[in-house]
Amino acid sequence: MISIIASDMDGTLLNNEMTVSDFNAQAILKAQQQGVHFIVSTGRRYSEAQPLIAAQGITAPLITLNGAEVYDASGKMLDMVPITKTVARAIFHTLSSQGYYYEVVGNDAVYSNSKAKRVEQIAHLLTNLNPDTSFKIAVSLATARLELMDISYVDDYSELLDDPKNHVMKIIAFSQAGPEKLKSLSDDLLAKHSSIKITSSSRSNIEINNINAQKGIAVERYANMLNTPMSNVMAIGDNNNDVSMLKLAGTSYAMGNASTEVKQLATHITDTNVNDGVGKAILAVLAEQ
């Protein structure tokens, strides 16, 4: 019997309008009404993720930043697993020396050292999500969207490490050259630092976390708090940063739009994120209980 359902957000729970559909929301609320615990597990920050489920009247715990932070349903932080500052400084040096644009997610904000590069990355994301949108229009949309985003700009990321109150929760490096170039970068970083975990949420990025900041580890900790075996946990995801929780969960669903790796390891495949795949998976499981 499924007692806990953990769902990713981007490419999974969220549709192409970056919202939770009515169908998905109704399925989640039905599961909760039947006593099933629902938890969001995302690479997003809490401030980015929580409003999206709250807009549909959903209250749930959140695993954020790929497992670097865990919050209960009231918004209280339960756990925080940052990258050590020594390792963060070394990663900053590697990325900068090799010419990568990257962003730093702190415990208080997302930091960028280039507004132009930030706009460029958002524009690429928008064109990937909506292929009919020209890059020129995407740049205009991205520029406008920046005004709505909680982004802090710094000249040098190293200054973040000088403040004892600041913690580096995640580092995101970007490259439009794609997975092959990013794999080479990942291999280099992993060879130098045994204390990190590298995943990705798209073909054009890698996400660097503390090795103990993984969705699977966080979901298992949450399950242990409820004295629930992982055999009674269901996980839903679409991309590389979901692999750890899909592997540990007794029941795992890959989205119809998921990567090949995710589809191969999941025990089930549901519909795509634009066709309410999460809601359909939840209702299928509820029907069997």
Side-chain angles (χ1 to χ4, degrees):
M1 175 178 285
I2 299 300
S3 302
I4 299 172
I5 297 173
S7 175
D8 171 50
M9 291 199 89
D10 291 274
T12 302
L13 181 59
L14 303 181
N15 55 28
N16 59 351
E17 296 177 350
M18 295 297 171
T19 61
V20 179
S21 71
D22 291 343
F23 186 94
N24 283 345
Q26 290 164 9
I28 291 167
L29 292 171
K30 182 177 181 179
Q32 290 179 323
Q33 289 165 4
Q34 294 186 15
V36 177
H37 296 272
F38 179 79
I39 183 168
V40 170
S41 185
T42 179
R44 290 175 177 247
R45 297 175 63 223
Y46 180 86
S47 61
E48 297 172 310
Q50 192 275 339
L52 295 174
I53 61 170
Q56 284 285 20
I58 299 168
T59 301
L62 279 87
I63 294 168
T64 63
L65 302 177
N66 294 332
E69 295 178 350
V70 181
Y71 297 83
D72 67 13
S74 71
K76 177 183 177 182
M77 183 183 287
L78 301 177
D79 196 15
M80 183 174 75
V81 188
I83 300 170
T84 67
K85 292 190 175 184
T86 299
V87 171
R89 193 181 299 276
I91 293 173
F92 292 172
H93 175 74
T94 297
L95 295 175
S96 297
S97 64
Q98 295 187 23
Y100 284 94
Y101 170 67
Y102 61 100
E103 297 174 357
V104 178
V105 183
N107 55 302
D108 60 340
V110 178
Y111 294 90
S112 170
N113 63 357
S114 171
K115 187 172 183 178
K117 289 290 186 180
R118 175 69 176 166
V119 168
E120 181 182 341
Q121 293 308 317
I122 296 174
H124 281 301
L125 174 62
L126 292 174
T127 55
N128 288 337
L129 291 172
N130 302 285
D132 293 335
T133 301
S134 71
F135 187 74
K136 183 177 181 180
I137 292 176
V139 168
S140 298
L141 293 172
T143 303
R145 183 171 291 192
L146 277 187
E147 304 303 322
L148 303 176
M149 292 183 172
D150 181 20
I151 303 293
S152 296
Y153 292 95
V154 293
D155 293 326
D156 186 348
Y157 288 128
S158 294
E159 67 188 68
L160 302 176
L161 305 177
D162 298 330
D163 186 340
K165 295 180 181 179
N166 286 341
H167 298 283
V168 175
M169 308 308 298
K170 184 171 74 168
I171 303 167
I172 312 170
F174 301 89
S175 174
Q176 294 307 313
E180 187 172 330
K181 182 176 181 181
L182 288 169
K183 183 180 185 307
S184 177
L185 172 62
S186 297
D187 290 344
D188 179 34
L189 291 171
L190 289 170
K192 295 175 180 176
H193 310 290
S194 60
S195 64
I196 62 172
K197 174 69 176 180
I198 298 180
T199 59
S200 66
S201 57
S202 80
R203 290 176 54 83
S204 60
N205 74 25
I206 58 170
E207 302 188 354
I208 306 163
N209 286 91
N210 184 303
I211 194 168
N212 292 315
Q214 298 184 47
K215 290 185 179 184
I217 293 173
V219 169
E220 187 169 36
R221 286 177 181 164
Y222 179 73
N224 289 339
M225 288 170 51
L226 298 177
N227 295 316
T228 299
M230 289 302 290
S231 58
N232 290 2
V233 175
M234 168 181 166
I236 314 171
D238 74 304
N239 221 316
N240 179 262
N241 62 345
D242 301 315
V243 166
S244 62
M245 69 174 181
L246 294 170
K247 283 183 175 180
L248 288 174
T251 300
S252 54
Y253 272 84
M255 300 300 294
N257 52 284
S259 67
T260 300
E261 178 187 9
V262 169
K263 286 182 177 179
Q264 289 176 341
L265 69 86
T267 58
H268 302 77
I269 297 178
T270 184
D271 212 329
T272 66
N273 66 311
V274 297
N275 289 317
D276 305 316
V278 167
K280 291 175 181 177
I282 291 173
L283 294 180
V285 167
L286 294 180
E288 297 175 356
Q289 303 203 140

